[in-house]
Amino acid sequence: MGDFFSLFFDNLPQVGSGLWVTVQATLLGSLVALALSFVFGLMANTRPVLVRGVSRVIVEFFRGTSLYVQLFWLYYALPLLTGYQLSPVFCGVVAFGLNYGAYGSEVVRGALNAVPRAQYEAAVALNMTPFQRMRRVILPQAWVQMIPPFTNLLIQLLKATPLLWLISATDLTTVIQQMRDRTGASVAAYLTLLVLYFVLAYALTLCMNALERAAKTRIGQRESAKGLFRTRSSAERLPGGVR
Amino acid sequence: MNYEWDWGAVQDSLPLLLDGFRTTLLATVLGILVAAVLGLIAAMAGRAPTRWVSVPVRALMEFIRSTPLLVQLAGAYAVFNTVDPLTIGITVLGIHYASYLSEVYRAGIDGVPKGQWEACRALSLSPRRTWQAVILPQAVRNVLPALGNYAIAMFKETPFLAVITVMEMVAEARQFGAEHFAYAETFTLAGLIFLVASYPTSLLMRKLEKRLGH
């Protein structure tokens, strides 16, 4: 066990670069997912049947086919069909973005529907354009509701990044597993790895809590600073369909 | 580069994939059973009157929930290397999802009106009777739709088991794909099987949720 920790501390730069790959994949993947959530979520709330239908089909497809199959398809099957081999991290970002974007679009759709009807009506009565209505009235309120489920999804996405190990990216999991293979100290290696992921997850949760507080302040709902440190699970509701 | 879509490979790999699909289903069903039981125990322990029990249980659940399933699986496989992989897989899946379900149960138990607890005390029912006859029957009904949703989620995460050499569907797809240079066919097929199996189930769950008034 001592062997593992001496190897770990002797090779900190290597651990750091693995950590960086993991963080990069998480953040880029969640940015893609966020953008897609809004695209598909807004599409799902428009009137034309065709637009709604397209959004539904895409969302159900990516929610239904399992992230692991999607990632492997991108990494193994796509090069055969097109001749282009994507880099593992890029594959990861695309697959995470599409999969969690599909889950996120349900969050956006639900939050938009949860804004009281009267708010829409008031904005119409004030003669706001649809764009103004969205930007100044609806989104600021819906955004507050979206943050807790988005936090859940973000942690889910972080927890999916070890998949990069399976498609040979040198992420955190890969680096620590290499150290385990050299020392044979399984317990120490995997516990270290789990603790590192836990710390990452908690750090992301703290950032999201701060974001939620800022969003609430913006629409006049102050909350105490104590709420900043709560964990993800004590967020009021776990969205059933989203895990 | 021109790639010829090989229908023969689709045909040849289908029986193998369906064979793997049986393992996938078995792991899901047993996994969710383990999770349902452990989750309930964890939720009840998390409400234990002594903090010496409740705080460690909640912390452990939080830890399990916040760390990747894939790493938990690989770790358990490396540490318990004499145990059958499928057993390890089902146990780890069960424990991982128990950490989610304990939250669901917690919410379900919190949803039982306070008056019910007070009535039990007034009738001086034993804690065992209180849980068994009054609280759990009401809480479990609140929890059922969520249980179904987590079962679907678990189903889509079973490909992880391939990491610990369990030959579920995606592992079969990968093996066949590697042998016959037919990744495109086998992974597409595997994805479609997932879609065909999970979409109707999630529609059904949504209906059930509406009927139970959530």
Side-chain angles (χ1 to χ4, degrees):
Chain A
M1 201 173 261
D3 291 352
F4 172 78
F5 286 112
S6 60
L7 190 68
F8 182 85
F9 287 113
D10 287 348
N11 292 298
L12 274 184
Q14 220 187 323
V15 176
S17 77
L19 193 66
W20 175 235
V21 171
T22 295
V23 170
Q24 221 179 0
T26 307
L27 294 183
L28 292 178
S30 56
L31 279 182
V32 175
L34 184 69
L36 291 179
S37 304
F38 273 95
V39 170
F40 294 130
L42 289 171
M43 275 170 74
N45 265 2
T46 51
R47 208 160 279 162
V49 177
L50 190 69
V51 180
R52 260 187 298 155
V54 167
S55 150
R56 270 256 67 83
V57 168
I58 295 176
V59 166
E60 291 301 344
F61 179 80
F62 282 104
R63 277 170 23 130
T65 49
S66 178
L67 171 63
Y68 316 106
V69 178
Q70 289 158 18
L71 185 65
F72 280 6
W73 199 94
L74 275 179
Y75 190 69
Y76 290 107
L78 191 68
L80 292 177
L81 293 174
T82 62
Y84 292 109
Q85 174 77 60
L86 305 176
S87 85
V89 178
F90 188 73
C91 266
V93 169
V94 173
F96 299 152
L98 285 170
N99 191 272
Y100 288 96
Y103 282 104
S105 74
E106 295 285 281
V107 172
V108 172
R109 189 172 67 91
L112 286 177
N113 287 337
V115 174
R117 192 81 214 133
Q119 297 281 334
Y120 284 90
E121 286 158 6
V124 173
L126 288 171
N127 213 7
M128 287 182 165
T129 64
F131 181 73
Q132 281 178 323
R133 193 164 70 205
M134 239 342 152
R135 198 176 75 84
R136 312 204 64 127
V137 181
I138 309 302
L139 272 186
Q141 297 182 60
W143 179 234
V144 170
Q145 302 224 18
M146 288 177 207
I147 296 175
F150 273 158
T151 309
N152 279 328
L153 285 179
L154 182 61
I155 305 299
Q156 293 288 346
L157 199 153
L158 169 71
K159 285 166 52 189
T161 54
L163 277 168
L164 292 173
W165 156 50
L166 300 181
I167 56 169
S168 62
T170 41
D171 70 325
L172 187 61
T173 308
T174 314
V175 171
I176 302 282
Q177 298 227 61
Q178 281 165 355
M179 293 181 173
R180 179 197 85 103
D181 292 343
R182 275 169 61 189
T183 57
S186 299
V187 178
Y190 283 111
L191 272 184
T192 310
L193 191 52
L194 289 177
V195 169
L196 286 173
Y197 276 108
F198 181 74
V199 171
L200 275 180
Y202 194 57
L204 286 177
T205 310
L206 291 184
C207 295
M208 293 299 280
N209 287 349
L211 197 67
E212 186 181 357
R213 191 171 135 93
K216 276 189 173 163
T217 309
R218 221 159 69 103
I219 62 165
Q221 299 175 354
R222 291 289 294 196
E223 62 167 16
S224 73
K226 228 176 91 186
L228 283 178
F229 296 101
R230 73 175 164 220
T231 53
R232 190 173 65 83
S233 56
S234 44
E236 306 74 41
R237 66 204 165 92
L238 280 165
V242 184
R243 290 186 281 169
Chain B
M1 189 167 135
N2 267 326
Y3 185 75
E4 288 280 319
W5 185 269
D6 182 3
W7 286 107
V10 173
Q11 221 168 38
D12 291 347
S13 63
L14 187 62
L16 284 172
L17 291 196
L18 289 180
D19 203 40
F21 187 68
R22 274 218 301 272
T23 313
T24 301
L25 271 187
L26 178 76
T28 309
V29 171
L30 292 181
I32 201 73
L33 280 178
V34 173
V37 174
L38 288 183
L40 181 59
I41 295 173
M44 287 170 71
R47 304 177 62 98
T50 47
R51 292 175 71 88
W52 291 106
V53 179
S54 65
V55 172
V57 167
R58 281 194 215 167
L60 182 65
M61 288 295 125
E62 184 65 41
F63 185 76
I64 295 174
R65 200 169 29 236
S66 309
T67 52
L69 175 63
L70 188 54
V71 176
Q72 291 168 2
L73 274 172
Y77 183 62
V79 175
F80 303 102
N81 46 18
T82 52
V83 185
D84 158 55
L86 185 60
T87 313
I88 293 183
I90 289 168
T91 314
V92 173
L93 266 181
I95 294 175
H96 190 81
Y97 276 81
S99 73
Y100 293 113
L101 286 179
S102 70
E103 279 299 301
V104 174
Y105 280 117
R106 188 184 62 80
I109 294 170
D110 285 347
V112 176
K114 244 185 111 186
Q116 301 278 332
W117 291 92
E118 287 159 6
C120 290
R121 280 195 65 181
L123 292 169
S124 69
L125 294 185
S126 68
R128 198 199 145 100
R129 287 271 291 161
T130 306
W131 281 103
Q132 218 175 43
V134 182
I135 307 301
L136 284 184
Q138 298 182 68
V140 166
R141 214 193 50 183
N142 293 341
V143 163
L144 274 183
L147 208 69
N149 285 331
Y150 280 96
I152 297 169
M154 185 190 273
F155 171 63
K156 282 181 261 178
E157 274 194 336
T158 47
F160 270 165
L161 297 183
V163 177
I164 59 170
T165 71
V166 173
M167 287 307 281
E168 48 61 65
M169 184 167 61
V170 177
E172 294 277 9
R174 210 174 159 180
Q175 196 178 39
F176 188 93
E179 279 166 9
H180 298 81
F181 203 59
Y183 281 127
E185 288 85 355
T186 55
F187 281 134
T188 307
L189 195 57
L192 289 178
I193 294 177
F194 267 110
L195 189 65
V196 167
S198 73
Y199 186 57
T201 324
S202 63
L203 280 186
L204 209 74
M205 290 319 301
R206 231 174 281 170
K207 271 221 174 94
L208 181 71
E209 247 171 87
K210 280 215 178 97
R211 267 192 56 183
L212 288 176
H214 283 270

